């Protein structure tokens, strides 16, 4: 039997596997292809299964990217660059990920500076003057969370200028 032959039973098993994965959470096309490949489905079977899932409206990379970007930005733990990197890790192109982040920023009214300050507050690095080591640590933290150098400079500049206690 030809190993590339596509049987309806194999396509059904692959489609069912996709639906089980999608029932847990939204996924990108790349994620589903990878999962089906790991399960041993041939390329023609994977493509046929994904075609069916797309036809039913259960798989849409643009919708996935926008929704995922919005969720990650709303959580208040990541900046736009980190969100874009996460979307690219899901198999989305740089352009698609960038566009999704831009749309999500507008939709959730993302404020990078406020979010960066929130990240610092969660780590106890706000509300007081930072010493040189803490200042560097805060900068590394924000950079690792995907905040731009501009935002980091504005936030840490503000943090460095804050008084260490009440003036009264």
């Amino acid at each position: 039997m030809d190993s590339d032959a596509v049987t309806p039973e194999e396509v059904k098993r692959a489609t069912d596997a996709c639906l089980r994965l999608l029932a847990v959470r939204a996924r990108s096309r790349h994620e589903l292809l990878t999962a089906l490949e790991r399960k041993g489905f041939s390329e023609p079977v994977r493509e046929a299964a994904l075609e069916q899932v797309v036809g039913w409206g259960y798989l849409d990379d643009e919708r996935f990217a926008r929704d995922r970007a919005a969720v990650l930005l709303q959580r208040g733990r990541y900046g736009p660059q980190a969100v874009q990197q996460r979307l690219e890790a899901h198999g989305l192109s740089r352009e698609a990920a960038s566009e999704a982040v831009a749309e999500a920023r507008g939709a959730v009214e993302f404020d990078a500076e406020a979010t960066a300050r929130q990240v610092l507050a969660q780590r106890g690095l706000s509300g007081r003057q930072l010493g040189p080591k803490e200042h560097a640590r805060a900068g590394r933290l924000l950079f690792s969370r995907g905040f731009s150098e501009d935002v980091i400079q504005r936030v840490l500049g503000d943090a460095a200028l804050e008084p260490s206690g009440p003036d009264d």
Side-chain angles (χ1 to χ4, degrees):
M1 183 175 181
D2 182 8
S3 63
D4 284 345
V6 178
T7 66
E9 295 81 24
E10 284 181 299
V11 173
K12 183 182 179 339
R13 284 187 317 115
T15 303
D16 288 347
C18 287
L19 294 175
R20 281 191 300 276
L21 290 168
L22 289 167
V24 175
R25 69 168 175 81
R27 309 219 181 224
S28 68
R29 179 180 184 84
H30 173 77
E31 286 180 284
L32 290 179
L33 277 173
T34 302
L36 293 177
E37 185 177 13
R38 275 196 309 265
K39 292 178 182 289
F41 292 104
S42 69
E43 185 177 348
V45 170
R46 294 191 303 261
E47 290 298 332
L50 288 181
E51 190 176 309
Q52 249 186 342
V53 175
V54 168
W56 293 332
Y58 293 136
L59 180 61
D60 179 341
D61 276 355
E62 287 180 17
R63 183 181 64 221
F64 166 80
R66 275 191 317 272
D67 293 350
R68 187 75 182 135
V71 165
L72 291 172
L73 289 174
Q74 284 178 318
R75 283 185 183 163
R77 291 187 287 209
Y78 301 108
Q81 292 154 336
V83 172
Q84 181 171 335
Q85 289 171 344
R86 281 173 165 65
L87 292 176
E88 289 173 22
H90 285 286
L92 298 163
S93 72
R94 177 173 296 240
E95 297 77 27
S98 176
E99 187 175 311
V101 170
E103 287 181 32
R105 283 181 79 155
V108 301
E109 298 177 6
F110 180 75
D111 181 340
E113 287 184 40
T115 303
R117 285 187 181 89
Q118 179 181 336
V119 167
L120 292 176
Q122 290 169 347
R123 291 291 179 98
L125 294 169
S126 68
R128 59 189 168 81
Q129 190 166 351
L130 299 176
K133 283 185 177 180
E134 288 177 315
H135 193 274
R137 184 172 153 232
R140 285 190 307 271
L141 172 65
L142 293 177
F143 185 76
S144 73
R145 294 290 181 94
F147 292 95
S148 70
E149 290 181 26
D150 234 17
V151 169
I152 294 169
Q153 182 59 46
R154 286 194 305 266
V155 169
L156 290 181
D158 290 347
L161 299 174
E162 288 178 2
S164 55
D167 288 337
D168 311 44

